[in-house]
Amino acid sequence: MIILFLQITFYTILVSGSSLSDKVKQTPAHMYNKPEEQVNINCSHSIQNYDRILWYKQVNKQLQFLGYFLGYVNYEDGKPEPGVNVTMEGSASKDQICTLIIKEVDLNSSAVYFCAASREKPYTEPAYFGQGTKLTVLETGRTPTSPTVKVLPPSKKECRNQKDTNQRKKTLVCVASGFYPDHVSVEWKVGGEKITKGVATDNAALRNQTTYSITSRLRVPAEEWFNPNNEFTCIVKFYNGNHNEPFYGKIQGEKGMFISEGDGMTREKYLKATQRLKLSYGVFIAKSCVYGAFVVFLVWKLQGKHNK
């Protein structure tokens, strides 16, 4: 029996990305609960002849097998693993609901729970994951706290020495902080349109004493940043206990001129160069005025001598 479970688990991990995984549904996607409360997680599938639901708990990317629920004609039964403190009820048949029940949760119950649909026989049939349910058991006295979102502009020094204009990039950084617990997702929009290219978001939120923070980076061509008409928006979706609530951080593109010649000149260098030219021009005008005044003085003196 142990070998059977290992084989099923292997197939579950192997094919979880298949399109048939779309036929396995889990609800809800997020849950907050207080200690000692009961938690119910539902799973259903629409795969013909599949009659087994497997349940897993994922902590720190490690899967723990919780047990399975088997259902076919005149037989429905749950088989939890020893010591896991869960039960299962419902049905594993197509278009039916199988429920994982955790009667009294504690802080160690916080995890992502997965169901997977499989087939009792033959054992070689693959299994397919659901989308997962993230459960957080709230610490004593804690309530969900929303994030603060801020978008930081690119560094002035970034891409300064990059001579290939096609490779010049600017990196914006979105920082979401002060939230609890860590049920968040991050996305970017440029000019109101969602963008995924050039986006790199932390794999998980970082715990800072009592709250969490997460960062996301967006790399864009420098000419996009040096366009004041472009608005860069970071959207952090936070599960508030009822639904995913969006929080926004925004920043406008910088006013200025993007130099596209292949001489490695950046906007900063361009501004310095123009300032030097203005200063030189001012000195030239001042010298010209002094020289002109001197010439006028000489002419006046010569005319005075001639009249005498």
Side-chain angles (χ1 to χ4, degrees), residues 52-97:
R52 182 193 293 265
I53 297 294
L54 311 170
W55 286 100
Y56 295 89
K57 176 182 179 182
Q58 183 186 47
V59 180
N60 297 327
K61 298 184 179 181
Q62 298 295 318
L63 281 179
Q64 176 188 1
F65 181 63
L66 300 177
Y68 69 98
F69 193 92
L70 181 63
Y72 47 83
V73 179
N74 298 323
Y75 184 85
E76 299 279 358
D77 193 20
K79 300 291 184 181
E81 290 286 276
V84 296
N85 192 33
V86 301
T87 59
M88 303 156 199
E89 63 181 33
S91 175
S93 301
K94 178 184 176 183
D95 297 327
Q96 301 299 310
I97 295 176

Side-chain angles (χ1 to χ4, degrees), residues 3-48:
I3 295 176
L4 169 61
F5 287 151
L6 290 176
Q7 184 181 40
I8 292 175
T9 303
F10 171 76
Y11 274 113
T12 303
I13 297 172
L14 181 64
V15 301
S16 61
S18 170
S19 59
L20 279 182
S21 290
D22 295 336
K23 296 187 176 182
V24 181
K25 305 296 183 183
Q26 258 184 264
T27 56
H30 297 271
M31 300 183 75
Y32 294 160
N33 287 85
K34 296 178 181 179
E36 300 184 358
E37 288 185 339
Q38 178 174 304
V39 167
N40 293 352
I41 302 174
N42 297 320
C43 178
S44 63
H45 71 87
S46 56
I47 306 174
Q48 192 68 37

Side-chain angles (χ1 to χ4, degrees), residues 109-237:
S109 303
S110 295
V112 180
Y113 292 82
F114 290 96
C115 71
S118 69
R119 190 173 178 180
E120 167 69 1
K121 293 180 181 181
Y123 300 139
T124 55
E125 289 289 326
Y128 300 93
F129 271 132
Q131 297 79 13
T133 296
K134 184 169 184 175
L135 166 66
T136 293
V137 179
L138 299 174
E139 298 166 4
T140 303
R142 299 295 303 276
T143 56
T145 305
S146 304
T148 298
V149 183
K150 185 175 182 179
V151 179
L152 305 178
S155 168
K156 297 292 185 182
K157 297 181 180 180
E158 187 177 17
C159 79
R160 172 185 290 181
N161 298 320
Q162 178 58 263
K163 293 185 177 181
D164 186 350
T165 59
N166 294 324
Q167 297 298 320
R168 293 179 187 173
K169 302 286 185 179
K170 286 292 188 179
T171 304
L172 291 79
V173 180
C174 175
V175 180
S177 60
F179 57 90
Y180 174 85
D182 59 335
H183 291 230
V184 294
S185 61
V186 183
E187 65 181 47
W188 286 88
K189 287 187 177 181
V190 177
E193 295 186 6
K194 184 177 179 179
I195 186 169
T196 56
K197 185 178 180 180
V199 174
T201 303
D202 294 345
N203 292 326
L206 177 66
R207 182 75 182 248
N208 304 309
Q209 295 183 346
T210 60
T211 60
Y212 289 88
S213 65
I214 193 169
T215 61
S216 180
R217 293 153 295 281
L218 172 64
R219 295 199 74 200
V220 297
E223 59 266 32
E224 286 191 17
W225 170 247
F226 290 122
N227 182 349
N229 295 321
N230 281 339
E231 182 178 68
F232 302 87
T233 305
C234 175
I235 306 170
V236 177
K237 294 182 179 179

Side-chain angles (χ1 to χ4, degrees), residues 285-301:
I285 294 296
K287 288 182 177 180
S288 298
C289 291
V290 172
Y291 179 74
F294 178 70
V295 170
V296 170
F297 175 76
L298 289 179
V299 171
W300 177 75
K301 292 289 289 184

Side-chain angles (χ1 to χ4, degrees), residues 237-286:
K237 294 182 179 179
F238 174 74
Y239 180 68
N240 60 16
N242 296 309
H243 61 276
N244 287 320
E245 183 178 0
F247 294 84
Y248 301 89
K250 299 182 180 181
I251 193 171
Q252 290 294 133
E254 187 174 305
K255 293 181 180 180
M257 184 174 184
F258 178 74
I259 307 302
S260 59
E261 288 80 1
D263 57 0
M265 182 176 285
T266 64
R267 177 178 177 273
E268 185 177 358
K269 288 184 178 180
Y270 172 79
L271 291 176
K272 288 182 178 180
T274 54
Q275 288 173 354
R276 286 196 296 267
L277 287 174
K278 289 178 181 178
L279 180 60
S280 299
Y281 183 71
V283 172
F284 172 76
I285 294 296

